[in-house]
Amino acid sequence: MGSSAALFCCTAVVLALLSSASEREMEQQHPMLQREITFAELFPNGFPDDSLVVSPPERFERINDKGRLRFGPRSFGGPPILDYEVQFPLGRPTSDNLRAICVNGDRRPSYPESYFPASGFGQQKRKASAVNKAESWFSTCCQGNQTWGTELTLCCATQAWELYIQSFCEEASSIKDRLYHCCKLSGNDELACFQNDAPNPNYEATEELPVPPLPSTGVFPFDPSTCLR
């Protein structure tokens, strides 16, 4: 039994020595195996130039005939999103922007039913309808400007603006949807909120070509006798 144990121990020592020698030979032939590699070994001529580093694609936008297509890389949210923009709300009529309200009426956007898909976008549709209504009423005031004069025309446009806000908030309040924040106010605070939110308070022309008129949205109930002289 003693000779067998001694033979076993000698065999184990020989195998260990052979394994160690094999590992040293492998490391000499392949020095990068089974050990940490430094940047100096990976890039002996220095780190690659920044121009070789690929950055994620930037977002970009493209306008189509109905809405605004917003594209982004897949990592930023998947497929393109179609956003039907509406220039809302309109600014308060003043003596400074009254001429632009009348002169640029056909150079500001209008929103026919075909602008939106058949379903969805309820909030945007209500905003668009309100803008169409106000622009139609402004047109009525501007037509009367030929005989009314500036003061009466401004009174008409102001009443049209206030009425469009009132009708918009009443409609929005009757629907179980998120209420436009200005509609949560009242009186002068509500009107000031809409004025402050207006993206084009000076009623500048934003369309290159004249916009075809939309069908009438109803007669504006303007009473000149309500205006202070």
Side-chain angles (χ1 to χ4, degrees):
M1 292 293 292
S3 60
S4 298
L7 179 60
F8 176 79
C9 291
C10 291
T11 303
V13 171
V14 171
L15 291 176
L17 292 174
L18 290 175
S19 176
S20 177
S22 177
E23 289 179 359
R24 286 196 299 271
E25 182 180 358
M26 182 69 71
E27 289 182 358
Q28 292 175 357
Q29 295 178 357
H30 305 283
M32 297 179 68
L33 292 178
Q34 296 184 349
R35 65 184 181 85
E36 294 184 357
I37 302 173
T38 65
F39 277 102
E41 292 175 317
L42 285 176
F43 306 106
N45 297 324
F47 197 76
D49 187 79
D50 290 341
S51 61
L52 299 179
V53 179
V54 179
S55 300
E58 297 180 354
R59 290 181 178 274
F60 65 93
E61 296 182 349
R62 177 173 65 82
I63 307 297
N64 71 354
D65 58 345
K66 290 189 176 182
R68 182 183 299 272
L69 281 171
R70 293 180 177 173
F71 291 92
R74 292 183 181 275
S75 60
F76 283 88
I81 300 174
L82 187 58
D83 182 17
Y84 295 86
E85 293 187 349
V86 177
Q87 284 192 15
F88 176 92
L90 302 179
R92 182 197 301 269
T94 66
S95 57
D96 294 328
N97 62 22
L98 181 61
R99 183 177 184 278
I101 289 177
C102 294
V103 173
N104 298 331
D106 62 347
R107 294 299 180 96
R108 293 189 296 271
S110 59
Y111 307 95
E113 292 184 1
S114 59
Y115 179 74
F116 296 99
S119 60
F121 298 94
Q123 291 186 7
Q124 293 298 87
K125 288 179 179 179
R126 288 190 291 275
K127 291 178 181 179
S129 176
V131 170
N132 291 342
K133 185 181 298 182
E135 290 285 5
S136 175
W137 292 347
F138 286 158
S139 177
T140 299
C141 297
C142 293
Q143 291 173 7
N145 186 34
Q146 300 176 2
T147 57
W148 290 347
T150 302
E151 184 177 351
L152 197 58
T153 302
L154 178 58
C155 177
C156 176
T158 301
Q159 288 190 19
W161 181 72
E162 293 179 353
L163 184 59
Y164 116 89
I165 291 176
Q166 177 184 340
S167 61
F168 169 77
C169 289
E170 287 179 352
E171 181 182 4
S173 300
S174 65
I175 300 174
K176 292 182 179 180
D177 200 349
R178 184 177 59 184
L179 188 64
Y180 189 71
H181 68 103
C182 291
C183 294
K184 299 177 182 179
L185 305 175
S186 60
N188 291 332
D189 291 337
E190 180 186 53
L191 300 179
C193 182
F194 275 91
Q195 164 63 17
N196 293 334
D197 282 3
N200 184 19
N202 295 324
Y203 288 87
E204 298 175 353
T206 58
E207 306 298 311
E208 295 182 1
L209 299 176
V211 177
L214 296 178
S216 175
T217 57
V219 179
F220 171 49
F222 173 61
D223 182 4
S225 64
T226 60
C227 298
L228 298 177
R229 296 185 179 275

